[in-house]
Amino acid sequence: MSWDFNEIKCASKNVSDVLGSDNYRPEQTQCPICHTFLKRDHILWHKQVTFSTGVKKLVSWAYRCPRVTCPGSQDIFKSRQAETLHLKYRRFSRELVVRIGYQRFWRHQTMYEIHDWLTQDLHLVICAREVANLIIDFLALLSAAQPARIRDRLSRLPGLIISIDGMQPEKGNDCLYIVREIQCGVTLLAANLVDSSQEALCTQLFAPLKDLAQELGKPWHGVVSDAQETIRLAVAQSLNRVPHQACQSHCLRDAGKLTFEADRAMKKEIKTSFRQALPRLRKRIQALPNGDPFQPVLLDYTAALRSVLPEGGVAPFELGGLRVFEMLEDLESSAIRCQKKGITSCCAG
Ligand SMILES: [Zn+2]
């Protein structure tokens, strides 16, 4: 028998892959029929899964009853815990999908804000397009988890008020439309549309929505959306005479865009000037003679300065630059007070 070098290399790589991973075995240890201890049979699946803490290799092992004469010897046993960690055919963990859904629908972050959070705060490798896919996955998980409860909540409403929002990761690409019932916060529909024309919206969004309203026996009470022209025309065509209001959040975001951009530019300027000066300042303080009573206080001030700088903002009202500016002013007046009182009382406070 001859050995192929590549085959050996490949086999040893597989073994080391398995050894360096999180291995999962079934929670059940005995055969339910003959009570013999189950034996490891083969790898059911193995893959790299991205969690909010980083990428992990997961291996799920299939176990079987080793007694050939047992009627249950063909049954496969697997880990339930491993199944709850991932979604089939996906490389992102359920935990991460749920966290993304939370940022989108409970904290009302845009797809780009979520993308910044994933790449800058969690240091994950992911493109904006993928964030849209994960939001769809979240909605699928959500609707699979509570169909009966959703129907019950909708059936208690006097009428439906919906919000429509479209998210497009890149111009010219598919657009993800999400329709929610505002009064009970339930997502009614999520659709990925290649075409965002009035006709497409009428047939692919509003036709199924009208069917749903008919099925529930509920009248339409209102629609809220941004000012996208095709949505306005499609609402007028499909839901004739139903009140349609422009979303205040979108209007305020648009109105505050210039202020927010100016604030961001100011924050960047402040950060750059401080980032250059801080290391020099710290070096000078550290060079003070040993036992200098001012040294620990001044070092505390530089630490406070450093912690103020990463403060961020959320459009349209939370202006990060202004907040950094105010915090720096507070630090300045504190330092001046400290200088006036003298080091003894400052240390006591
Ligand atoms: Zn058995």
Side-chain angles (χ1 to χ4, degrees):
M1 184 180 179
S2 67
W3 287 94
D4 181 289
F5 177 68
N6 279 333
E7 229 170 71
I8 297 171
K9 221 169 75 178
C10 196
S12 63
K13 186 180 175 297
N14 284 345
V15 169
S16 69
D17 274 357
V18 169
L19 289 178
S21 344
D22 282 3
N23 286 272
Y24 288 87
R25 63 188 69 183
E27 288 75 11
Q28 187 166 354
T29 53
Q30 291 178 1
C31 169
I33 298 169
C34 69
H35 303 290
T36 310
F37 278 102
L38 298 173
K39 267 192 104 172
R40 183 179 278 192
D41 193 71
H42 61 275
I43 292 177
L44 200 60
W45 53 262
H46 66 105
K47 66 179 181 183
Q48 293 204 336
V49 179
T50 306
F51 291 83
S52 56
T53 46
V55 179
K56 251 190 208 170
K57 280 184 201 162
L58 305 183
V59 182
S60 178
W61 289 91
Y63 277 57
R64 269 182 212 242
C65 173
R67 276 186 59 195
V68 189
T69 51
C70 172
S73 67
Q74 289 309 306
D75 296 345
I76 293 288
F77 294 87
K78 60 184 176 184
S79 161
R80 278 194 300 275
Q81 195 196 349
E83 297 305 318
T84 63
L85 296 175
H86 76 133
L87 293 167
K88 219 170 180 178
Y89 311 119
R90 296 282 195 270
R91 68 182 183 93
F92 293 95
S93 68
R94 272 189 202 212
E95 165 258 0
L96 190 63
V97 170
V98 170
R99 287 187 71 172
I100 288 171
Y102 177 76
Q103 299 286 340
R104 177 70 191 102
F105 298 110
W106 278 265
R107 301 201 63 202
H108 306 289
Q109 290 201 325
T110 64
M111 209 172 61
Y112 296 103
E113 286 165 347
I114 296 174
H115 184 244
D116 285 351
W117 168 67
L118 291 168
T119 52
Q120 290 168 22
D121 296 352
L122 303 186
H123 306 290
L124 300 180
V125 180
I126 183 169
C127 65
R129 171 85 235 164
E130 204 128 30
V131 177
N133 292 337
L134 291 174
I135 291 171
I136 299 180
D137 287 349
F138 172 76
L139 292 171
L141 269 182
L142 202 64
S143 57
Q146 38 176 275
R149 249 181 70 199
I150 287 175
R151 214 155 259 276
D152 181 48
R153 278 162 72 185
L154 287 171
S155 67
R156 282 189 231 157
L157 297 173
L160 301 175
I161 304 176
I162 55 166
S163 69
I164 303 169
D165 200 4
M167 291 187 289
Q168 195 171 31
E170 289 153 22
K171 277 225 157 21
N173 245 329
D174 297 8
C175 190
L176 168 65
Y177 283 92
I178 292 169
V179 182
R180 306 185 83 206
E181 208 300 321
I182 295 174
Q183 300 160 97
C184 59
V186 160
T187 302
L188 300 178
L189 188 69
N192 218 8
L193 304 191
V194 184
D195 174 17
S196 289
S197 67
Q198 179 186 348
E199 267 325 299
L201 293 178
C202 284
T203 51
Q204 295 179 59
L205 275 191
F206 290 102
L209 283 172
K210 279 162 81 174
D211 289 346
L212 179 71
Q214 203 167 13
E215 203 183 307
L216 291 165
K218 300 287 168 194
W220 290 100
H221 280 184
V223 180
V224 177
S225 74
D226 62 8
Q228 189 180 316
E229 194 178 3
T230 52
I231 295 184
R232 289 199 336 246
L233 294 172
V235 172
Q237 186 185 331
S238 301
L239 304 174
N240 194 16
R241 290 170 193 276
V242 175
H244 183 188
Q245 189 190 312
C247 167
Q248 293 173 3
S249 167
H250 278 88
C251 291
L252 289 170
R253 252 174 205 270
D254 286 347
K257 210 171 189 167
L258 285 176
T259 320
F260 195 75
E261 288 307 319
D263 178 81
R264 203 202 294 255
M266 178 181 80
K267 189 174 72 181
K268 203 172 163 192
E269 221 172 284
I270 295 178
K271 274 186 188 177
T272 319
S273 60
F274 270 87
R275 288 236 161 88
Q276 283 164 358
L278 267 177
R280 286 202 303 272
L281 181 68
R282 212 180 146 74
K283 247 185 204 163
R284 281 181 60 190
I285 297 170
Q286 278 165 341
L288 288 171
N290 258 352
D292 186 303
F294 293 94
Q295 194 188 45
V297 181
L298 292 171
L299 282 175
D300 279 354
Y301 271 109
T302 52
L305 279 174
R306 197 190 296 266
S307 70
V308 160
L309 295 181
E311 277 294 315
V314 180
F317 294 126
E318 280 181 39
L319 300 174
L322 270 190
R323 208 161 61 220
V324 169
F325 190 79
E326 282 169 2
M327 285 161 108
L328 289 174
E329 273 190 337
D330 286 348
L331 272 176
E332 186 195 15
S333 46
S334 159
I336 292 172
R337 275 202 309 275
C338 194
Q339 207 175 11
K340 276 185 189 158
K341 276 198 272 180
I343 194 71
T344 344
S345 54
C346 175
C347 287

